[in-house]
Amino acid sequence: MEQQTKPTATDGEAVHVMRQYGGSFIKQLAQLWLTADPINQARVAEAFRPEFDRYRVDAAALAHYQGLAREAELAGRN
């Protein structure tokens, strides 16, 4: 059986989803990450790893479904 890998997203992609869909705390956390320098971005991401991991999964799923929607739209044009 062929093993499939799960889509992954970066912390930056997770932050984009956090800003768009998170509650007030998560949105503030995303803003904090955006204003931090790279060293402090890594510190914030590690301190809140469970939250970042959750939104990384959400970001990957969102990208996957957006890709499917684009493919369907292009197929519908033919």
Side-chain angles (χ1 to χ4, degrees):
M1 180 165 41
E2 186 177 319
Q3 183 180 1
Q4 293 183 340
T5 59
K6 290 185 178 181
T8 58
T10 65
D11 283 342
E13 291 165 332
V15 165
H16 174 73
V17 174
M18 291 164 81
R19 289 181 72 205
Q20 191 169 12
Y21 298 107
S24 59
F25 176 79
I26 294 298
K27 287 179 179 179
Q28 288 295 316
L29 182 59
Q31 188 60 40
L32 173 67
W33 187 90
L34 287 168
T35 58
D37 59 69
I39 292 171
N40 284 316
Q41 284 179 339
R43 292 177 66 200
V44 169
E46 284 308 310
F48 293 94
R49 181 54 48 205
E51 291 79 5
F52 273 76
D53 287 347
R54 173 182 168 218
Y55 282 93
R56 285 167 64 105
V57 170
D58 292 349
L62 181 61
H64 173 74
Y65 287 113
Q66 286 174 337
L68 290 176
R70 277 191 297 275
E71 288 177 18
E73 181 181 345
L74 292 173
R77 291 180 184 178
N78 293 330

